[in-house]
Amino acid sequence: MKKVFVILFSFLVISVTAQENKIDRSFELSKNLEIFSSVYKTLYTTYVDDINEGDLIKTAIDAMLAKLDPYTNYYPESDLEDVKLQLLGEYGGIGALIHQKGDSVYISEPYEGLPAYEAGLKAGDLIIEVNGQSAKGKNSDQVREILRGQAGSTITVKVKRNEEEKTFSFKRKEITLPNVPYSGIIGEDLGYIKLNEFTKNAANNVLSAFNNLKKENIKGLILDLRGNGGGLLNEAVDIVNIFVDKGQVVVSTKGKTQEKSQTFRTTKKVVDKDIPVVVLVDGSSASASEIVAGSLQDIDRAVIMGQRSFGKGLVQNVLPLVYNSQMKVTVSKYYIPSGRCIQAIDYSHRDSLGRANKINDSLRTAFKTRNGRVVYDGYGIEPDIAIEPEYGSSILFSLVGKSLIFDYATEFARKHKSIPSAKDFKITDEIYDDFVLYLKNKDYSYTTPTEYSLKELLDVARKDKCDEDILNQLDAMKLKIEDDKKNDLYKFKDEISEVLLSEIVVRYYNQKGRVEAYINHDPEVKQAVNLLHDIKKYNDILKK
């Protein structure tokens, strides 16, 4: 009897304590809301200058959310188009990428089959006016804002092309960005699918592309998730379902409430559980990309190749607020089949400067795949075959950043009505020499890492009052490096040619052509092709 009494008493103490904690938290919520309201009212009624109430509240909300993680965001009614674009890949607009150069904004790429493309807008067009509103002095975000609008509404865009002004009038549409810009045969008997985003219908688009490739009797598949920042979780689950049996756990979420803690399994019949698959990832592959790559790795269904992924193991929901505003809130963490969470940054603990840091290696836990391979939590998806990333040269970054490759491609397209197919087109010596000639009077100045280091060394040497002879030698070295830079256009010809090829091809064959042209030169795709042609090595990796 005494034992039962102790248990009942303990239960009552726990219940009362929980109730008191609940009351305390409710009081804190009410108290802090009252304080905030009091501060806002005081500013509104007594501050010496007029204040913009909406901006003030938005700033306060953004500052509060900055204490959490970068994925928890507030969206006023005016930003709802951005929410649709992020989550569904949809927005009301013209269907074109734009970019800024100096004080001007240009059309970068009109998407094939969408309003801008159908109306006749082209890459390189300088935007002068939109619906009679001058674009002069506006940045790309401001121009993008006036290009977007209600689907079905008429828009008039005036551009400058080859010194001639042209006006295009057409209707905006509900734009759905293509999440699979390209799929095709590579390496003679292998399939390749590039997936850009996990927006609505991503899984159906991947499935459609895969079924078409299977008709060509492919012997393996490369699923390219590089640069894919993620999107809808259900699309990730359905993509995994293409390659694994029905009923397989793909991902589990754990949140504060039972409602936010769920397990997601494959629900459909597998399409192909035997075909060898290589998944390409990089440091920009995040969220849903990591669910696909990580679950296929945990189930030993695919070989992951490339660089360690981003490490985003947080799940967001978009919740409605008052006055048509919305909030994207981190509601849970996700865990892939082995039981690991791949979240790389711990936002709940910050250092003395308020910075959130990556989870320490010593705190990472080992897990095992279905076949017993060791994998780790806490820092993205580590590829089964790691490939060192290739970084562009300083001169390439300068040429791209100053839009000189873009501008040359526009001029090239004006002079040449057609080129060979995307996969057959090459940057010949003649084309490259013409590009070098085009740059003759252009500013593409840049500073190399070597120059930065030498400048720092010279500064330190002067402060240390080094011998004049040493300073002279360093100055001579500086002049030598500057002289050596004159050869950079040809020293880095191969990498510059790749970007030049991509920019020219997109003028003729759009986004699909850009991918098709590049994958033939992509070193990581080549390694994936080699692995899929060596089935013994492929199987050995998954058996480790």
Side-chain angles (χ1 to χ4, degrees), residues 493-509:
K493 179 181 176 180
D494 287 347
E495 65 179 63
I496 294 171
S497 291
E498 283 183 15
V499 179
L500 190 58
L501 174 108
S502 174
E503 201 61 58
I504 290 174
V505 163
V506 80
R507 298 293 193 282
Y508 299 88
Y509 300 108

Side-chain angles (χ1 to χ4, degrees), residues 261-427:
S261 300
Q262 303 176 64
T263 296
F264 297 84
R265 300 174 181 269
T266 52
T267 58
K268 303 168 188 173
K269 183 180 177 181
V270 62
V271 177
D272 193 323
K273 63 179 180 180
D274 297 315
I275 190 168
V277 179
V278 169
V279 179
L280 295 176
V281 296
D282 63 11
S284 297
S285 304
S287 189
S289 287
E290 294 173 298
I291 291 175
V292 170
S295 61
L296 291 176
Q297 186 181 54
D298 283 357
I299 301 166
D300 294 303
R301 180 61 188 88
V303 171
I304 313 304
M305 183 180 286
Q307 295 86 48
R308 193 200 301 264
S309 64
F310 182 81
K312 180 179 180 290
L314 305 177
V315 181
Q316 286 76 43
N317 285 171
V318 175
L319 306 175
L321 301 176
V322 295
Y323 298 107
N324 291 325
S325 59
Q326 293 188 2
M327 191 170 175
K328 181 156 65 78
V329 186
T330 297
V331 295
S332 57
K333 293 181 180 180
Y334 72 73
Y335 299 79
I336 47 182
S338 65
R340 55 182 170 144
C341 178
I342 52 80
Q343 176 62 25
I345 298 177
D346 183 4
Y347 293 105
S348 62
H349 298 91
R350 296 175 182 263
D351 61 21
S352 58
L353 298 176
R355 295 175 302 197
N357 296 307
K358 289 183 177 178
I359 295 169
N360 194 294
D361 282 348
S362 63
L363 300 177
R364 298 178 67 198
T365 305
F367 292 81
K368 287 188 177 181
T369 69
R370 182 173 291 177
N371 289 341
R373 296 187 297 145
V374 176
V375 290
Y376 292 90
D377 68 353
Y379 195 173
I381 304 299
E382 293 186 61
D384 302 308
I385 297 180
I387 301 174
E388 281 296 316
E390 293 187 354
Y391 298 106
S393 60
S394 299
I395 187 172
L396 177 61
F397 280 112
S398 178
L399 293 171
V400 171
K402 295 180 180 180
S403 296
L404 292 170
I405 291 179
F406 179 89
D407 292 343
Y408 177 80
T410 301
E411 187 170 301
F412 182 94
R414 181 170 59 85
K415 293 177 179 177
H416 302 82
K417 297 299 179 187
S418 64
I419 60 172
S421 67
K423 63 180 180 180
D424 294 325
F425 179 67
K426 302 284 188 295
I427 298 296

Side-chain angles (χ1 to χ4, degrees), residues 115-354:
Y117 179 89
E118 297 294 335
L121 287 166
K122 293 184 177 181
D125 285 347
L126 168 63
I127 301 173
I128 300 173
E129 287 181 3
V130 180
N131 285 345
Q133 188 175 345
S134 174
K136 186 176 181 181
K138 288 185 169 60
N139 60 37
S140 56
D141 287 338
Q142 292 169 322
V143 172
R144 188 177 294 110
E145 188 67 27
I146 56 178
L147 287 172
R148 290 180 183 173
Q150 189 70 33
S153 60
T154 299
I155 185 171
T156 301
V157 182
K158 183 187 286 188
V159 301
K160 187 175 183 180
R161 181 188 301 166
N162 304 330
E163 304 306 317
E164 179 185 357
E165 291 188 1
K166 292 177 174 286
T167 300
F168 300 87
S169 188
F170 52 97
K171 290 186 182 297
R172 296 182 179 93
K173 284 185 180 178
E174 192 72 25
I175 304 299
T176 301
L177 299 179
N179 41 45
V180 178
Y182 177 79
S183 63
I185 301 295
I186 190 169
E188 297 182 359
D189 57 356
L190 302 174
Y192 172 90
I193 298 174
K194 174 65 178 173
L195 179 63
N196 277 348
E197 297 177 289
F198 287 80
T199 49
K200 189 172 70 173
N201 293 322
N204 284 336
N205 291 338
V206 170
L207 176 60
S208 177
F210 181 56
N211 283 333
N212 288 334
L213 291 170
K214 279 174 68 71
K215 293 174 185 176
E216 302 292 329
N217 296 315
I218 58 172
K219 300 293 191 297
L221 176 71
I222 300 168
L223 178 60
D224 193 345
L225 301 181
R226 291 174 299 176
N228 187 326
L232 300 174
L233 184 146
N234 65 291
E235 299 293 339
V237 175
D238 287 345
I239 288 173
V240 172
N241 201 168
I242 296 171
F243 308 106
V244 303
D245 283 319
K246 180 179 179 180
Q248 170 65 49
V249 172
V250 175
V251 61
S252 299
T253 61
K254 297 179 183 178
K256 184 179 288 186
T257 64
Q258 187 61 40
E259 181 188 19
K260 301 304 179 186
S261 300
Q262 303 176 64
T263 296
F264 297 84
R265 300 174 181 269
T266 52
T267 58
K268 303 168 188 173
K269 183 180 177 181
V270 62
V271 177
D272 193 323
K273 63 179 180 180
D274 297 315
I275 190 168
V277 179
V278 169
V279 179
L280 295 176
V281 296
D282 63 11
S284 297
S285 304
S287 189
S289 287
E290 294 173 298
I291 291 175
V292 170
S295 61
L296 291 176
Q297 186 181 54
D298 283 357
I299 301 166
D300 294 303
R301 180 61 188 88
V303 171
I304 313 304
M305 183 180 286
Q307 295 86 48
R308 193 200 301 264
S309 64
F310 182 81
K312 180 179 180 290
L314 305 177
V315 181
Q316 286 76 43
N317 285 171
V318 175
L319 306 175
L321 301 176
V322 295
Y323 298 107
N324 291 325
S325 59
Q326 293 188 2
M327 191 170 175
K328 181 156 65 78
V329 186
T330 297
V331 295
S332 57
K333 293 181 180 180
Y334 72 73
Y335 299 79
I336 47 182
S338 65
R340 55 182 170 144
C341 178
I342 52 80
Q343 176 62 25
I345 298 177
D346 183 4
Y347 293 105
S348 62
H349 298 91
R350 296 175 182 263
D351 61 21
S352 58
L353 298 176

